[in-house]
Structures are given as structure tokens and as C-alpha cells.
Amino acid sequence: MRIGRLGFMAAAACMAALPAFAASMEPRFGNTMLGTRPDGTVMKLYYNADHTFSGEITPAGSPVSFEAKGTWKLDGDKLCVLSDLGPGGGKAPESCAMLKGDHVGDKWETTVQGVDGKPVVQKVEIVKGR
């Protein structure tokens, strides 16, 4: 179960670190980053101006969600996230990708590393509110 959780946290991190229209986090503050994988896994992430994020990941077909939380930073035109795996879980490896999405309502696709380590294309959008 711990390996699966690590995979989902890494996936959340990759979803969060998305490719670039402009290197601005402003559209994310107070809103929701929603990622949907082809298998139906849903990730909802909430970014804060204090360089933290939180959210939840609901695996496909599961009634249970996993908590997502950690810190983020901008590195040039890339968004890098470091997920906290909770008590005894440590930290997932830092994940970085080009920043994408400049406005609430923007939608795009991005390729992230799946739980099995293979690339997965997921749909992402910035949704108004939390």
C-alpha cells in the first residue's frame, strides 16, 4: 500500500508540475488544479502563496482518497514540487516540469510518470474555487 501511495504522490507532484504559458502561480491560488488520468484517477491540488500545497488523490474505482501535501517552488519556468508522505513516510523525490496554465478555465494535457514508472497522459485544468 505504501508503494502505491508513493506512486500516487509522485503522480500528484508531476501533475502539479505542469508545462508553460507563463511562469505564474497566481491562477492556482484560491483555485483547484484538477488532473484526470485515462484510468479515472482524479487529483485535486490546492496551491498556496506560502509555497505549500495540499489536496487529495482518488484512485480509479476507489471510494477512498489519499491526502496530498508538500511544498512547491519555481525554478525558472519550471514548477517543482516535493510531496510529504506523512508520518514515517518521508518525502517523495522532487518533481519538476514546465509551468502551464495561465487562467482559471485553462485546460491542457501533460505527460506524467505513472505508478508503474511508464508515461501517462492526463488531462489538467484550473478550476475556480476550492
Side-chain angles (χ1 to χ4, degrees):
M1 183 67 146
R2 186 173 151 97
I3 300 250
R5 183 171 179 212
L6 175 61
F8 282 119
M9 291 302 293
C14 291
M15 192 274 297
L18 303 164
F21 301 149
S24 172
M25 290 297 291
E26 288 297 318
R28 289 154 181 77
F29 303 150
N31 295 308
T32 302
M33 293 294 302
L34 178 64
T36 306
R37 293 189 157 205
D39 71 358
T41 297
V42 175
M43 291 168 260
K44 296 178 184 176
L45 298 178
Y46 316 109
Y47 286 90
N48 303 304
D50 69 354
H51 291 257
T52 61
F53 72 91
S54 62
E56 63 184 47
I57 302 166
T58 307
S62 175
V64 178
S65 295
F66 295 97
E67 178 182 22
K69 66 180 182 173
T71 59
W72 64 268
K73 69 179 181 181
L74 290 179
D75 183 5
D77 58 358
K78 293 181 181 177
L79 173 59
C80 299
V81 296
L82 185 61
S83 296
D84 181 352
L85 300 177
K91 301 261 185 210
E94 183 176 75
S95 177
C96 300
M98 300 298 293
L99 184 64
K100 191 171 186 178
D102 225 11
H103 301 93
V104 170
D106 282 354
K107 297 178 182 183
W108 62 95
E109 290 186 350
T110 191
T111 301
V112 298
Q113 184 176 352
V115 176
D116 60 2
K118 296 179 181 174
V120 175
V121 176
Q122 71 181 24
K123 295 179 181 185
V124 183
E125 63 183 294
I126 302 174
V127 178
K128 183 175 176 78
R130 292 193 168 185

